[in-house]
Amino acid sequence: MTNNSFKCGFVTLAGRTNIGKSTLLNQIMQTEIAIATHKPQTTRHLIKAIYQDEESQIIFIDSPGMHIATDQLGRNMRKAASVAIQETDIVVLMIDARSEFEINKIEKQIIDLAISSKINLILAINKIDLVTKSRILPLIREYVSYADFKAVVPISAKYNDGIDLLLAEIKNILPINSPLIVDGSYTDQTEKILAAEYIRAEIIDQISDEIPYGVAIKIEEFNEIFNLDNKRERVQIHAAIFVEQENHKMILLGKNGRQIVALGKASRKRISEMLDCPCDLMLFVKVRTDWRNKYSQLKELGYSSQDLSL
Ligand SMILES: Nc1nc2c(ncn2[C@@H]2O[C@H](COP(=O)(O)OP(=O)(O)OP(=O)(O)O)[C@@H](O)[C@H]2O)c(=O)[nH]1
Ligand SMILES: [Mg+2]
Protein backbone atom coordinates (compact mmCIF):
# COMPACT_ATOMS: atom_id res chain seq x y z
CA MET A 1 0.00 0.00 0.00
CA THR A 2 2.66 2.51 0.99
CA ASN A 3 5.11 3.90 -1.54
CA ASN A 4 8.11 6.20 -1.32
CA SER A 5 6.05 9.33 -1.94
CA PHE A 6 3.52 8.61 0.83
CA LYS A 7 2.71 11.69 2.92
CA CYS A 8 2.05 11.67 6.63
CA GLY A 9 1.93 14.28 9.37
CA PHE A 10 -0.04 16.41 11.80
CA VAL A 11 -2.45 19.16 10.77
CA THR A 12 -3.91 21.43 13.43
CA LEU A 13 -7.22 23.18 12.84
CA ALA A 14 -6.90 26.51 14.63
CA GLY A 15 -8.89 29.70 14.87
CA ARG A 16 -11.15 31.75 17.06
CA THR A 17 -14.08 30.05 18.71
CA ASN A 18 -17.22 29.19 16.69
CA ILE A 19 -15.40 29.43 13.38
CA GLY A 20 -16.22 25.88 12.24
CA LYS A 21 -13.12 23.84 13.17
CA SER A 22 -15.09 20.91 14.55
CA THR A 23 -17.58 21.07 11.68
CA LEU A 24 -14.65 20.80 9.25
CA LEU A 25 -13.15 17.85 11.13
CA ASN A 26 -16.46 16.00 11.04
CA GLN A 27 -16.97 16.78 7.37
CA ILE A 28 -13.51 15.45 6.45
CA MET A 29 -14.02 12.33 8.57
CA GLN A 30 -17.69 11.88 7.57
CA THR A 31 -18.64 11.17 11.17
CA GLU A 32 -19.21 13.13 14.38
CA ILE A 33 -15.89 12.96 16.20
CA ALA A 34 -16.02 16.48 17.60
CA ILE A 35 -19.24 18.09 18.77
CA ALA A 36 -20.06 21.27 16.86
CA THR A 37 -22.68 23.70 18.13
CA HIS A 38 -23.96 27.21 17.53
CA LYS A 39 -22.44 28.45 20.81
CA PRO A 40 -18.78 29.49 21.27
CA GLN A 41 -16.24 27.53 23.34
CA THR A 42 -17.70 24.16 22.50
CA THR A 43 -14.45 22.22 22.07
CA ARG A 44 -12.54 21.95 25.34
CA HIS A 45 -9.78 19.44 24.59
CA LEU A 46 -7.58 18.38 21.69
CA ILE A 47 -9.29 15.88 19.42
CA LYS A 48 -7.32 13.69 17.02
CA ALA A 49 -8.77 12.18 13.87
CA ILE A 50 -6.84 10.11 11.37
CA TYR A 51 -7.72 10.66 7.72
CA GLN A 52 -6.29 8.04 5.42
CA ASP A 53 -6.26 7.52 1.65
CA GLU A 54 -4.01 5.87 -0.92
CA GLU A 55 -1.38 8.57 -0.83
CA SER A 56 -1.52 10.02 2.66
CA GLN A 57 -2.29 9.68 6.33
CA ILE A 58 -3.24 13.00 7.91
CA ILE A 59 -3.57 13.28 11.67
CA PHE A 60 -5.96 16.17 12.19
CA ILE A 61 -6.04 17.97 15.52
CA ASP A 62 -9.17 19.91 16.36
CA SER A 63 -8.29 22.51 18.97
CA PRO A 64 -10.30 24.67 21.39
CA GLY A 65 -11.11 28.07 19.89
CA MET A 66 -8.77 30.87 20.90
CA HIS A 67 -10.58 33.23 23.26
CA ILE A 68 -9.85 35.38 26.28
CA ALA A 69 -9.77 32.99 29.21
CA THR A 70 -11.53 33.98 32.40
CA ASP A 71 -11.01 30.79 34.40
CA GLN A 72 -8.59 27.85 34.64
CA LEU A 73 -10.62 25.76 32.20
CA GLY A 74 -10.27 28.58 29.66
CA ARG A 75 -6.54 28.88 30.34
CA ASN A 76 -6.11 25.10 29.86
CA MET A 77 -8.06 25.35 26.58
CA ARG A 78 -5.76 28.13 25.34
CA LYS A 79 -2.71 26.16 26.42
CA ALA A 80 -3.93 23.06 24.56
CA ALA A 81 -4.55 25.11 21.42
CA SER A 82 -1.11 26.75 21.65
CA VAL A 83 0.64 23.39 21.97
CA ALA A 84 -1.28 22.06 18.98
CA ILE A 85 -0.28 25.11 16.93
CA GLN A 86 3.41 24.86 17.82
CA GLU A 87 4.00 21.10 17.62
CA THR A 88 2.35 20.23 14.34
CA ASP A 89 3.43 20.09 10.68
CA ILE A 90 0.72 22.40 9.33
CA VAL A 91 -1.64 24.89 10.92
CA VAL A 92 -4.86 25.49 9.05
CA LEU A 93 -5.94 28.90 10.29
CA MET A 94 -9.69 29.14 9.85
CA ILE A 95 -11.31 32.54 9.54
CA ASP A 96 -14.87 33.62 8.89
CA ALA A 97 -15.55 34.89 5.38
CA ARG A 98 -17.65 37.61 7.01
CA SER A 99 -14.81 38.94 9.19
CA GLU A 100 -13.59 42.51 8.96
CA PHE A 101 -10.76 43.08 6.52
CA GLU A 102 -8.29 44.14 9.18
CA ILE A 103 -6.66 41.11 10.82
CA ASN A 104 -7.76 40.74 14.39
CA LYS A 105 -5.58 40.17 17.49
CA ILE A 106 -6.60 36.53 17.91
CA GLU A 107 -5.71 35.61 14.33
CA LYS A 108 -2.40 37.49 14.67
CA GLN A 109 -1.60 35.53 17.83
CA ILE A 110 -2.17 32.23 16.05
CA ILE A 111 -0.14 33.26 12.98
CA ASP A 112 2.73 34.58 15.12
CA LEU A 113 2.76 31.44 17.26
CA ALA A 114 2.96 29.20 14.18
CA ILE A 115 5.64 31.34 12.53
CA SER A 116 7.78 31.45 15.68
CA SER A 117 7.80 27.63 15.65
CA LYS A 118 8.40 27.51 11.87
CA ILE A 119 5.11 25.75 11.18
CA ASN A 120 3.57 25.85 7.70
CA LEU A 121 0.40 27.90 7.49
CA ILE A 122 -2.67 27.43 5.32
CA LEU A 123 -5.52 29.92 5.40
CA ALA A 124 -9.02 28.44 5.16
CA ILE A 125 -11.72 31.06 4.69
CA ASN A 126 -14.82 29.34 6.03
CA LYS A 127 -18.56 29.97 5.74
CA ILE A 128 -18.29 31.21 2.14
CA ASP A 129 -21.91 30.12 1.74
CA LEU A 130 -22.83 33.22 3.76
CA VAL A 131 -21.07 35.87 1.64
CA THR A 132 -20.83 37.12 -1.90
CA LYS A 133 -17.67 36.05 -3.74
CA SER A 134 -16.41 39.63 -4.09
CA ARG A 135 -15.82 39.76 -0.34
CA ILE A 136 -13.21 37.03 -0.36
CA LEU A 137 -10.43 38.60 -2.45
CA PRO A 138 -9.80 41.66 -0.22
CA LEU A 139 -9.72 39.34 2.80
CA ILE A 140 -7.09 37.16 1.12
CA ARG A 141 -5.05 40.24 0.20
CA GLU A 142 -4.98 41.38 3.83
CA TYR A 143 -3.82 38.02 5.16
CA VAL A 144 -1.16 37.27 2.54
CA SER A 145 0.35 40.69 3.13
CA TYR A 146 0.70 39.83 6.84
CA ALA A 147 2.20 36.33 6.59
CA ASP A 148 3.48 33.71 4.20
CA PHE A 149 0.59 31.29 3.70
CA LYS A 150 1.48 28.19 1.72
CA ALA A 151 -2.08 28.10 0.38
CA VAL A 152 -5.36 29.96 0.72
CA VAL A 153 -8.58 27.99 0.30
CA PRO A 154 -12.13 29.36 0.54
CA ILE A 155 -14.39 26.66 1.97
CA SER A 156 -17.76 25.90 3.44
CA ALA A 157 -17.21 23.26 6.11
CA LYS A 158 -20.93 22.91 6.69
CA TYR A 159 -21.86 22.41 3.03
CA ASN A 160 -18.73 20.48 1.99
CA ASP A 161 -17.45 23.05 -0.46
CA GLY A 162 -13.71 23.43 -1.20
CA ILE A 163 -12.66 20.67 1.17
CA ASP A 164 -11.15 18.45 -1.55
CA LEU A 165 -8.97 21.38 -2.55
CA LEU A 166 -7.97 21.97 1.06
CA LEU A 167 -6.96 18.29 1.38
CA ALA A 168 -4.94 18.52 -1.84
CA GLU A 169 -3.08 21.60 -0.54
CA ILE A 170 -2.39 19.87 2.77
CA LYS A 171 -0.97 16.83 0.96
CA ASN A 172 1.29 19.07 -1.13
CA ILE A 173 2.96 20.40 1.99
CA LEU A 174 2.99 17.34 4.26
CA PRO A 175 6.34 15.60 4.67
CA ILE A 176 7.08 12.30 2.97
CA ASN A 177 6.71 9.76 5.71
CA SER A 178 5.33 6.29 6.25
CA PRO A 179 2.05 6.06 8.24
CA LEU A 180 2.39 6.84 11.95
CA ILE A 181 -0.81 5.02 12.89
CA VAL A 182 -0.89 1.40 11.86
CA ASP A 183 -3.63 -0.05 14.05
CA GLY A 184 -6.48 1.15 11.81
CA SER A 185 -7.90 3.52 14.42
CA TYR A 186 -9.44 6.75 13.16
CA THR A 187 -9.62 8.78 16.36
CA ASP A 188 -8.31 8.96 19.93
CA GLN A 189 -11.83 9.71 21.15
CA THR A 190 -13.13 6.69 23.03
CA GLU A 191 -16.79 5.68 23.10
CA LYS A 192 -16.92 6.96 26.69
CA ILE A 193 -15.55 10.38 25.74
CA LEU A 194 -17.92 10.61 22.76
CA ALA A 195 -20.91 9.66 24.93
CA ALA A 196 -20.03 12.43 27.40
CA GLU A 197 -19.56 14.93 24.58
CA TYR A 198 -22.89 14.05 22.93
CA ILE A 199 -24.67 14.69 26.24
CA ARG A 200 -22.87 18.04 26.55
CA ALA A 201 -23.86 18.92 22.97
CA GLU A 202 -27.52 18.28 23.80
CA ILE A 203 -27.22 20.52 26.86
CA ILE A 204 -25.62 23.28 24.76
CA ASP A 205 -28.40 22.94 22.18
CA GLN A 206 -31.33 22.68 24.58
CA ILE A 207 -30.35 24.93 27.50
CA SER A 208 -30.02 28.64 26.97
CA ASP A 209 -27.63 31.26 28.26
CA GLU A 210 -24.57 30.72 30.40
CA ILE A 211 -25.43 27.39 32.02
CA PRO A 212 -23.72 25.09 29.44
CA TYR A 213 -20.38 26.85 30.08
CA GLY A 214 -20.47 25.57 33.65
CA VAL A 215 -21.51 22.04 32.72
CA ALA A 216 -19.20 19.03 32.61
CA ILE A 217 -20.06 15.38 32.06
CA LYS A 218 -18.45 12.36 33.65
CA ILE A 219 -19.35 8.85 32.58
CA GLU A 220 -19.45 6.99 35.89
CA GLU A 221 -20.51 3.60 34.56
CA PHE A 222 -20.20 2.09 31.10
CA ASN A 223 -21.32 -1.54 31.21
CA GLU A 224 -21.31 -3.55 28.01
CA ILE A 225 -23.58 -6.55 27.74
CA PHE A 226 -22.59 -9.27 25.27
CA ASN A 227 -24.66 -12.15 23.91
CA LEU A 228 -23.49 -15.74 23.63
CA ASP A 229 -21.81 -15.01 20.27
CA ASN A 230 -19.76 -12.31 21.99
CA LYS A 231 -21.63 -9.61 20.11
CA ARG A 232 -22.34 -6.43 22.08
CA GLU A 233 -26.09 -6.34 22.67
CA ARG A 234 -26.52 -3.32 24.89
CA VAL A 235 -24.60 -0.70 26.84
CA GLN A 236 -25.71 0.69 30.20
CA ILE A 237 -24.39 4.16 30.91
CA HIS A 238 -24.57 6.26 34.07
CA ALA A 239 -23.51 9.83 33.48
CA ALA A 240 -23.03 12.60 36.02
CA ILE A 241 -23.81 16.11 34.83
CA PHE A 242 -21.91 18.59 36.98
CA VAL A 243 -23.31 22.08 37.31
CA GLU A 244 -21.99 25.01 39.31
CA GLN A 245 -25.09 26.08 41.20
CA GLU A 246 -28.20 24.60 42.78
CA ASN A 247 -30.50 26.72 40.57
CA HIS A 248 -28.72 25.41 37.45
CA LYS A 249 -29.56 21.91 38.63
CA MET A 250 -33.22 22.90 38.84
CA ILE A 251 -33.13 24.25 35.28
CA LEU A 252 -31.53 21.06 33.95
CA LEU A 253 -34.11 18.92 35.70
CA GLY A 254 -36.99 21.12 34.55
CA LYS A 255 -40.59 21.15 35.66
CA ASN A 256 -41.60 17.62 36.67
CA GLY A 257 -38.25 16.41 35.36
CA ARG A 258 -39.28 17.22 31.79
CA GLN A 259 -36.01 18.83 30.78
CA ILE A 260 -33.75 16.02 31.94
CA VAL A 261 -36.03 13.47 30.24
CA ALA A 262 -35.71 15.40 26.96
CA LEU A 263 -31.93 15.58 27.35
CA GLY A 264 -31.77 11.86 28.10
CA LYS A 265 -33.92 10.92 25.14
CA ALA A 266 -31.99 12.96 22.59
CA SER A 267 -28.58 11.94 23.99
CA ARG A 268 -29.51 8.27 24.07
CA LYS A 269 -30.44 8.36 20.40
CA ARG A 270 -27.09 9.89 19.39
CA ILE A 271 -25.10 7.57 21.64
CA SER A 272 -26.91 4.43 20.42
CA GLU A 273 -26.14 5.36 16.82
CA MET A 274 -22.49 5.88 17.67
CA LEU A 275 -22.26 2.60 19.60
CA ASP A 276 -24.27 0.80 16.94
CA CYS A 277 -26.35 -0.92 19.62
CA PRO A 278 -29.13 0.09 22.03
CA CYS A 279 -28.12 1.86 25.21
CA ASP A 280 -29.71 2.65 28.56
CA LEU A 281 -28.76 6.09 29.76
CA MET A 282 -29.15 7.32 33.32
CA LEU A 283 -28.38 10.98 33.93
CA PHE A 284 -27.63 12.38 37.41
CA VAL A 285 -27.29 16.13 37.94
CA LYS A 286 -24.80 17.09 40.68
CA VAL A 287 -23.59 20.45 41.95
CA ARG A 288 -19.83 21.01 41.93
CA THR A 289 -19.09 24.58 42.82
CA ASP A 290 -16.32 26.29 40.86
CA TRP A 291 -15.03 23.08 39.22
CA ARG A 292 -13.68 25.21 36.35
CA ASN A 293 -10.98 26.56 38.66
CA LYS A 294 -9.98 23.36 40.43
CA TYR A 295 -6.99 21.51 39.01
CA SER A 296 -7.96 18.09 40.36
CA GLN A 297 -11.47 18.35 38.95
CA LEU A 298 -10.24 19.58 35.58
CA LYS A 299 -7.89 16.60 35.45
CA GLU A 300 -10.67 14.19 36.42
CA LEU A 301 -12.83 15.59 33.62
CA GLY A 302 -10.08 15.34 30.99
CA TYR A 303 -9.48 19.09 30.70
CA SER A 304 -5.90 19.32 31.94
CA SER A 305 -2.79 19.89 29.86
CA GLN A 306 -2.35 17.77 26.75
CA ASP A 307 0.17 17.20 24.01
CA LEU A 308 0.11 15.65 20.56
CA SER A 309 1.67 12.29 21.48
CA LEU A 310 -0.05 9.36 19.87
N1 LIG B 1 -23.19 28.73 7.37
C1 LIG B 1 -22.16 28.02 7.82
N2 LIG B 1 -22.08 27.69 9.12
C2 LIG B 1 -21.02 26.96 9.53
C3 LIG B 1 -19.99 26.56 8.64
N3 LIG B 1 -19.07 25.86 9.36
C4 LIG B 1 -19.51 25.84 10.63
N4 LIG B 1 -20.68 26.50 10.73
C5 LIG B 1 -21.49 26.70 11.96
O1 LIG B 1 -20.72 27.44 12.89
C6 LIG B 1 -21.03 27.05 14.23
C7 LIG B 1 -19.78 26.71 14.98
O2 LIG B 1 -19.21 25.54 14.44
P1 LIG B 1 -18.13 24.68 15.24
O3 LIG B 1 -17.63 23.65 14.30
O4 LIG B 1 -18.68 24.21 16.56
O5 LIG B 1 -17.01 25.79 15.53
P2 LIG B 1 -15.62 25.61 16.30
O6 LIG B 1 -14.64 26.46 15.61
O7 LIG B 1 -15.28 24.18 16.46
O8 LIG B 1 -15.99 26.27 17.71
P3 LIG B 1 -15.27 26.05 19.16
O9 LIG B 1 -15.18 24.59 19.41
O10 LIG B 1 -16.22 26.72 20.09
O11 LIG B 1 -13.95 26.73 19.09
C8 LIG B 1 -22.01 25.89 14.09
O12 LIG B 1 -23.32 26.37 14.26
C9 LIG B 1 -21.79 25.39 12.66
O13 LIG B 1 -22.93 24.78 12.09
C10 LIG B 1 -20.11 26.93 7.26
O14 LIG B 1 -19.27 26.62 6.41
N5 LIG B 1 -21.21 27.66 6.90
MG1 LIG C 1 -14.96 23.04 18.12
Side-chain angles (χ1 to χ4, degrees):
M1 180 198 74
T2 58
N3 54 44
N4 54 13
S5 62
F6 194 85
K7 301 284 188 87
C8 178
F10 287 87
V11 175
T12 295
L13 307 178
R16 65 176 55 233
T17 180
N18 218 30
I19 206 75
K21 301 177 292 297
S22 302
T23 304
L24 175 60
L25 186 83
N26 293 340
Q27 190 66 262
I28 291 170
M29 297 303 296
Q30 292 290 295
T31 181
E32 192 184 9
I33 292 176
I35 58 167
T37 80
H38 64 289
K39 288 204 185 113
Q41 292 167 45
T42 296
T43 304
R44 289 175 172 172
H45 62 283
L46 298 181
I47 295 170
K48 297 186 191 93
I50 298 117
Y51 168 92
Q52 174 113 30
D53 62 20
E54 292 290 299
E55 51 200 10
S56 67
Q57 182 183 70
I58 310 171
I59 302 149
F60 282 101
I61 314 292
D62 181 15
S63 64
M66 279 290 190
H67 66 286
I68 296 165
T70 53
D71 52 31
Q72 193 55 42
L73 171 64
R75 284 188 286 279
N76 286 4
M77 285 159 62
R78 273 191 72 96
K79 210 192 289 174
S82 303
V83 167
I85 290 164
Q86 291 174 287
E87 293 185 2
T88 188
D89 294 297
I90 300 173
V91 166
V92 173
L93 169 64
M94 290 180 73
I95 63 165
D96 193 315
R98 295 166 299 177
S99 39
E100 33 185 282
F101 293 128
E102 201 176 322
I103 308 176
N104 201 285
K105 206 168 122 192
I106 290 182
E107 281 74 22
K108 281 188 178 163
Q109 276 175 2
I110 295 170
I111 295 170
D112 296 349
L113 210 53
I115 289 177
S116 69
S117 299
K118 301 193 168 54
I119 309 294
N120 293 305
L121 274 164
I122 292 179
L123 183 67
I125 303 172
N126 192 32
K127 309 198 185 184
I128 54 164
D129 53 288
L130 298 177
V131 299
T132 51
K133 279 209 170 68
S134 59
R135 229 195 160 275
I136 297 171
L137 204 56
L139 205 53
I140 294 178
R141 234 182 260 132
E142 193 64 32
Y143 274 83
V144 296
S145 69
Y146 184 75
D148 174 24
F149 288 94
K150 295 281 178 294
V152 178
V153 192
I155 62 166
S156 170
K158 188 171 177 178
Y159 296 107
N160 199 7
D161 190 4
I163 293 175
D164 285 349
L165 188 58
L166 177 63
L167 285 172
E169 295 289 4
I170 289 171
K171 287 184 211 169
N172 272 340
I173 306 168
L174 271 187
I176 292 177
N177 229 335
S178 44
L180 288 165
I181 314 274
V182 289
D183 64 1
S185 60
Y186 65 92
T187 182
D188 66 337
Q189 301 299 286
T190 61
E191 288 179 340
K192 260 170 114 169
I193 297 174
L194 288 174
E197 287 289 87
Y198 290 177
I199 297 167
R200 197 163 63 84
E202 281 303 328
I203 293 172
I204 296 172
D205 281 342
Q206 293 191 31
I207 311 283
S208 60
D209 302 332
E210 291 296 302
I211 293 175
Y213 295 105
V215 163
I217 314 293
K218 185 172 177 216
I219 304 296
E220 297 189 320
E221 279 189 38
F222 190 92
N223 301 321
E224 298 168 286
I225 298 158
F226 293 89
N227 68 14
L228 292 174
D229 300 328
N230 219 16
K231 184 175 181 297
R232 188 166 67 178
E233 265 191 338
R234 211 170 181 85
V235 180
Q236 295 170 328
I237 301 173
H238 291 191
I241 301 175
F242 298 122
V243 293
E244 292 187 314
Q245 295 174 28
E246 200 62 44
N247 66 324
H248 292 179
K249 180 174 169 178
M250 292 306 150
I251 291 168
L252 277 193
L253 294 175
K255 204 168 173 207
N256 299 323
R258 255 183 251 149
Q259 181 62 71
I260 195 79
V261 168
L263 286 168
K265 197 171 162 207
S267 309
R268 189 175 66 239
K269 186 168 178 296
R270 283 168 90 153
I271 295 170
S272 294
E273 279 167 15
M274 181 264 297
L275 296 171
D276 201 20
C277 77
C279 87
D280 305 309
L281 179 64
M282 299 280 286
L283 299 176
F284 305 90
V285 187
K286 301 178 182 182
V287 178
R288 267 201 187 181
T289 318
D290 205 25
W291 65 264
R292 282 189 276 180
N293 281 310
K294 295 189 174 140
Y295 286 96
S296 59
Q297 300 201 10
L298 290 167
K299 187 169 168 50
E300 180 188 347
L301 294 163
Y303 300 143
S304 49
S305 57
Q306 285 181 280
D307 57 36
L308 298 195
S309 55
L310 295 166

